[in-house]
Amino acid sequence: MIEKINLPKGLRHIAIIMDGNGRWAKQRSKNRIFGHRHGSKAVRAVAEACSQMGLEVLTLFAFSTENWARPKKEVDTLMKLFKEFLKKESKTILKNNMRFRITGQMHRLPNDVQKFAKELIDESNSNTGMILNLAVSYGGRLEITEAVKNICRQVIDGKISPDRVTEDTIGNNLWTSDLPNPDLLIRTSGEFRISNFMIWQIAYSEIYITEVLWPDFDKKELARALESFSKRKRRFGKVDE
Ligand code: IPE
Ligand code: IPE
Ligand code: MG
């Protein structure tokens, strides 16, 4: 068993596309819901390990704007699982001094999910440890569209001139404006795609894709991803010294 994982240099924000719950269940001849249940359970160990190694931000992609188009029964169960997660995991989150937040369309979530989420956001607001950022009803294109709308309003109000719109203007109008960009993007289940996740913010993220399905992703798998990250040379378009 791995006792302690060290935080690699230059790693402030890890973002994870938690994919593969359905296939995990299928391998066991169970329905997709069974996979989501186990996927939800896998979150705790990873969040605790990240928080204990001193990470600043962990973003977990839990539900995309496109996922609303899944069968109603699956969507309803996922919402139920979010609620259970918030109820069950609030203790772990508070105990670890984590700050909880949600990125995405909070208003589209069922009322009870919103209520538990808001409570946990408030309760953990003054904590000083890792930000646990759950991306729910999140879409990168939607986020950018909303930012553009905001900027248009500021232009109309005469607060900013179109010539003064910079990359920072856009970044500052995203839902994640106060967070550093992800340094490491992990996707489980071996899919080589982004699926509309943080498309602006990951411009220079290091990408790590593992065949492991999300319910099987644990501290050991996290350590593998970190080891890979620590060997990367991030050049940001420049040349090595
Ligand atoms: C990820 O697992 C969880 C969500 C997108 C909500 P999937 O449900 O996408 O599982 P696969 O990709 O079908 O195996
Ligand atoms: C991405 O997984 C969204 C989440 C993990 C929340 P999907 O399963 O929805 O993505 P695609 O359909 O494989 O691109
Ligand atoms: Mg999937």
Side-chain angles (χ1 to χ4, degrees):
M1 204 176 114
I2 303 167
E3 282 310 319
K4 191 172 180 299
I5 316 182
N6 290 321
L7 184 69
K9 228 176 98 207
L11 183 55
R12 299 177 64 192
H13 183 174
I14 298 178
I16 309 182
I17 303 176
M18 307 185 289
D19 197 17
N21 294 348
R23 277 161 284 172
W24 189 88
K26 197 167 179 204
Q27 285 175 355
R28 288 157 181 79
S29 308
K30 302 273 190 190
N31 62 15
R32 301 177 53 80
I33 311 294
F34 182 76
H36 293 316
R37 216 170 273 291
H38 282 266
S40 168
K41 278 188 195 155
V43 169
R44 184 193 291 182
V46 174
E48 269 195 319
C50 286
S51 134
Q52 282 163 10
M53 72 181 177
L55 186 72
E56 279 177 56
V57 188
L58 174 65
T59 295
L60 299 173
F61 195 14
F63 191 85
S64 72
T65 45
E66 290 78 20
N67 289 150
W68 288 109
R70 292 190 179 195
K72 184 173 185 309
K73 191 160 175 265
E74 180 169 349
V75 171
D76 288 349
T77 309
L78 280 166
M79 293 302 145
K80 228 177 79 196
L81 283 173
F82 290 140
K83 190 175 82 181
E84 278 170 25
F85 173 86
L86 293 166
K87 275 165 74 175
K88 259 209 316 259
E89 298 306 322
S90 63
K91 254 197 230 110
T92 319
I93 290 169
L94 296 171
K95 186 186 81 195
N96 284 280
N97 192 24
M98 294 181 210
R99 252 175 305 165
F100 180 76
R101 68 188 257 176
I102 282 189
T103 297
Q105 300 169 298
M106 267 274 257
H107 65 273
R108 283 185 80 178
L109 306 177
N111 286 338
D112 52 354
V113 178
Q114 285 189 46
K115 179 179 152 277
F116 283 110
K118 279 182 191 142
E119 273 173 22
L120 188 52
I121 292 168
D122 288 346
E123 264 180 286
S124 65
N125 187 34
S126 54
N127 286 354
T128 53
M130 184 185 81
I131 294 172
L132 179 61
N133 180 28
L134 206 61
V136 190
S137 192
Y138 171 85
R141 287 180 174 174
L142 173 76
E143 183 186 25
I144 294 172
T145 307
E146 291 300 319
V148 170
K149 278 196 221 164
N150 266 338
I151 296 166
C152 288
R153 283 187 209 107
Q154 292 162 43
V155 168
I156 289 172
D157 293 347
K159 289 189 184 130
I160 178 172
S161 119
D163 302 333
R164 291 278 166 110
V165 174
T166 62
E167 291 186 9
D168 280 345
T169 317
I170 295 177
N172 290 337
N173 280 278
L174 295 175
W175 294 328
T176 55
S177 60
D178 56 332
L179 301 179
N181 289 324
D183 301 293
L184 173 62
L185 171 68
I186 299 173
R187 182 166 189 153
T188 58
S189 88
E191 303 290 2
F192 282 72
R193 56 173 172 262
I194 298 302
S195 303
N196 199 13
F197 182 57
M198 292 205 167
I199 48 180
W200 178 275
Q201 297 91 330
I202 61 166
Y204 269 103
S205 302
E206 294 298 324
I207 299 176
Y208 178 86
I209 293 169
T210 171
E211 290 290 327
V212 171
L213 303 174
W214 175 252
D216 288 331
F217 193 89
D218 56 11
K219 212 169 152 179
K220 198 171 85 232
E221 297 301 333
L222 175 71
R224 289 204 173 113
L226 297 182
E227 203 201 332
S228 169
F229 176 85
S230 61
K231 289 184 186 140
R232 309 281 178 96
K233 276 216 165 79
R234 303 184 79 187
R235 280 184 289 275
F236 300 98
K238 299 170 195 156
V239 289
D240 286 336
E241 292 305 312

